[in-house]
Each structure stands twice: as structure tokens, then as C-alpha cells.
């Protein structure tokens, strides 16, 4: 019995045990994280009230139960009521020693795709950094000469011609500003990771945003007061949150909207990388807005350099955000539907050397 419990708790995929009436008999820790609820709170609840599948499964599920045969359903949207639907694969199998009981395994497709995100972001960042260094050197020096020449010419020109030289100067300065953004992306120093309070980070970013670009936005917060300290660079993480807040404010437009900041602890979340190493990332930060959502054509590439959903966007803000989170050993994801976009950051906990985590890996 002890081995069965250990196996159930160690299962990296969300798993639910269903009774003959399709009520939840038990869930594993990974499912607690996926559904954002405890096994005790969900016990006895109708499963399809808590796991919302965008597919007609009733007949197939009933056949699987009556014939005691497994059922596999691929590429369906699964919602929980707490967050936008996620594309998943479902596996259903009868329990051999308990007639009528079924085991439901949920395999979120985003996990398989995003586990390699850290490596792809770093690879894309290296390419962008090399180009940034070349562009900064090759373009900024000639631009300084163009700007100086235009200013010299303007000293002896009339009002009509001054308009042209002013245009040259202003546009040259705009290009320099763009190059400085690229340089910022390329020259970011490694994080100085220390034990920090994530709520202090969120409050610093929120105050700065409220006084500037997010003045028209309404803020809500849902903080876990018992959240442990994170291991991170406070200044760099403030920049991460500011980038996400700016993204939300720009999406809302002049009419404003609502930004919701949320923190919580997900003890079962552990990121396993391609080299076999892993790290517990139990600290979760969410930045949610009620804007129009991300364009469908860029959802899968939103963290790549030079991908932007805005007409005049540089596509560096979210790429820089992903790079900083990656350098922290963390993980960032986004769920977006019209009316609700949620960026989620998962970070390591600052803990005494040698302390165990008890976390389960996700792969």
C-alpha cells in the first residue's frame, strides 16, 4: 500500500481517481496544482464540474467504463474555472481491482512544448545579442555624425528648412533609442541572486507603473501572505514585472482595464531540463489582464526576440523578460484568450543548504 501511495504522489502528470458516479475519489499532488485545489476540497465533487473538457466525451467515457478498456483523447481544451483552457491529451483507464473506478490522466501539451523554452530562449538571445553588438557599433557612430551635420546645417536655415533638419535630428535620436533597447537586451548582467520577498518586488513595480504608463489601469492583488522568500535579483525581477505590466497597459489602450497580481505556492512544480537536471520552482507569480488577448499568429512565439503584437513594437520587452527569468533558473508561460491574458512566472525558493523540497518533476 505504501508503494502505491508513493507512486501516486510521484506521478508527474495530473491524475484523478473517479468513482462509478464520475465523482472525484482522489487526486494526486500534480492534479492539486493543475486544479489549484486540495484533494480534500475536491473529494466527492462531480469531475466534469471541475475539469471542463471542450469535447463530447460522455458516450466514449461510458463505453470505456462498461468495457473496462482504456480511452485516449488528444488535443482537447481543458479548463478548470481558475484559468483559461489549456490544450491537453487525456488518458482514461479502468482500475483493475476496483470495478467502476476510472483513472483520468491529464497531459498538458504546453508543458512538453515549454520545457524546451529555456534552451530556445537562450539560443535566440545569443543570436540577438550578437546582432545587437554589431548594430550598435556599426549604426550609432554614423548616426551621431548625421545628427551633428543636421544641427550645423540648421544654424543657417530658414523656418521651412529647419523643419526638415529637425526631422532628421528627431528620427536619428529615435533610432538611437531603439538601438539602446537592443543593447540593453544584449548586455544584461547575470542576476545577483539573493533571498527576496516577491511581494516587495511586485509592489515596487506596481507603484512605478501607477505613476507612469499604467495610470489608467485598475489594480487588484491576491497575495499568499505565507509565500516563502524567493532566490532572485530584486532589480531584475522588478524589470520583469514592469515589462509585463507595460504589456498589459498597452493592450488595454486608452480606456484602461484591470490588472490582477497573484502569488501562490505550488509545491509539486519542478522543472526538468534537457540535460537531466531539475529544480523545484514552487513560487508562482501571475500578472493577469482583461485586455483583448494575444494575436493568434504570435501566441507560440511571444517570447522570441523581435516578435511583437503591436504595430510599432520592437518585440524585445517579452524576450528580455523571458531571458531574465531563464537566467534565474525559472520558467515563464502565458495563457491568453480574449478578455483574459495571464503571464505566469515560476521561481525557485531561497532555502537553507541541503534542505529538501519534496517536489515532483514535470516533464
Amino acid at each position: 500500500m505504501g508503494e502505491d501511495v508513493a507512486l501516486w504522489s510521484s506521478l508527474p502528470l495530473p491524475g484523478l481517481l473517479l468513482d462509478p458516479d464520475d465523482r472525484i475519489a482522489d487526486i494526486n499532488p500534480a492534479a492539486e496544482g493543475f486544479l489549484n485545489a486540495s484533494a480534500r476540497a475536491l473529494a466527492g465533487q462531480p469531475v466534469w464540474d471541475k475539469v471542463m473538457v471542450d469535447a463530447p466525451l460522455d458516450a466514449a467515457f461510458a463505453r470505456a467504463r462498461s468495457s473496462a478498456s482504456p480511452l485516449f483523447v488528444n488535443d482537447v481544451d481543458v479548463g478548470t474555472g481558475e484559468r483559461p483552457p489549456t490544450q491537453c491529451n487525456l488518458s482514461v483507464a479502468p482500475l483493475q481491482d476496483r470495478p467502476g473506478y476510472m483513472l483520468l490522466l491529464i497531459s498538458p501539451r504546453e508543458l512538453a512544448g515549454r520545457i524546451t523554452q529555456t534552451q530556445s530562449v537562450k539560443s535566440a538571445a545569443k543570436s540577438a545579442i550578437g546582432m545587437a553588438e554589431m548594430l550598435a557599433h556599426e549604426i550609432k557612430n554614423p548616426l551621431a555624425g548625421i545628427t551633428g551635420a543636421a544641427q550645423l546645417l540648421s544654424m543657417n536655415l530658414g523656418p521651412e528648412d529647419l523643419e526638415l533638419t529637425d526631422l532628421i535630428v528627431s528620427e536619428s535620436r529615435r533610432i538611437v533609442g531603439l538601438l539602446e533597447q537592443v543593447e540593453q537586451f544584449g548586455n544584461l548582467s547575470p542576476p545577483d541572486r539573493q533571498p527576496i520577498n516577491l511581494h516587495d518586488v511586485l509592489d515596487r513595480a506596481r507603484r512605478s507603473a501607477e505613476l507612469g504608463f499604467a495610470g489608467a489601469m485598475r489594480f487588484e492583488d491576491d497575495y499568499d501572505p505565507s509565500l516563502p522568500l524567493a532566490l532572485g535579483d530584486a532589480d531584475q525581477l522588478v524589470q520583469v514585472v514592469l515589462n509585463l505590466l507595460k504589456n498589459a497597459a498597452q493592450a488595454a489602450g486608452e480606456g484602461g482595464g484591470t490588472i490582477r497580481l497573484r502569488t501562490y505556492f505550488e509545491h509539486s512544480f519542478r522543472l526538468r531540463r534537457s540535460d537531466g537536471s531539475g529544480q523545484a520552482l514552487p513560487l508562482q507569480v501571475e500578472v493577469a489582464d482583461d485586455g483583448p488577448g494575444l494575436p493568434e499568429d504570435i501566441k507560440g512565439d511571444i517570447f522570441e526576440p523581435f516578435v511583437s503584437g503591436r504595430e510599432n513594437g520592437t518585440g524585445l520587452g517579452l524576450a528580455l523578460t523571458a531571458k531574465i527569468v531563464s537566467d534565474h533558473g525559472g520558467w515563464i508561460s502565458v495563457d491568453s484568450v480574449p478578455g483574459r491574458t495571464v503571464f505566469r512566472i515560476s521561481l525557485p525558493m531561497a532555502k537553507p543548504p541541503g534542505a529538501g523540497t519534496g517536489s515532483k518533476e514535470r516533464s
Side-chain angles (χ1 to χ4, degrees), residues 269-297:
F269 188 87
R270 184 178 178 89
L271 183 65
R272 188 170 64 239
R273 297 179 174 83
S274 58
D275 62 0
S277 64
Q279 182 175 20
L281 303 175
L283 307 184
Q284 314 301 319
V285 175
E286 288 186 351
V287 179
D289 68 74
D290 56 0
L294 297 173
E296 287 291 336
D297 58 335

Side-chain angles (χ1 to χ4, degrees), residues 173-257:
R173 287 175 175 168
R174 185 177 67 83
I175 296 172
V176 170
L178 173 60
L179 291 173
E180 287 175 348
Q181 290 184 51
V182 177
E183 285 184 305
Q184 180 189 29
F185 178 74
N187 294 330
L188 191 69
S189 59
D192 178 19
R193 298 200 289 174
Q194 303 288 337
I196 58 170
N197 187 325
L198 286 176
H199 298 150
D200 291 342
V201 168
L202 291 172
D203 289 342
R204 281 176 57 189
R206 173 177 173 171
R207 286 195 298 270
S208 178
E210 285 178 321
L211 295 174
F213 56 81
M217 303 295 290
R218 186 169 69 91
F219 282 84
E220 297 177 352
D221 58 66
D222 180 12
Y223 293 167
D224 178 355
S226 63
L227 197 72
L229 296 179
L231 186 64
D233 185 315
D235 290 339
Q236 288 192 13
L237 290 177
V238 167
Q239 184 175 2
V240 164
V241 178
L242 278 172
N243 286 345
L244 297 180
L245 296 179
K246 182 176 291 186
N247 190 72
Q250 290 171 338
E254 296 181 1

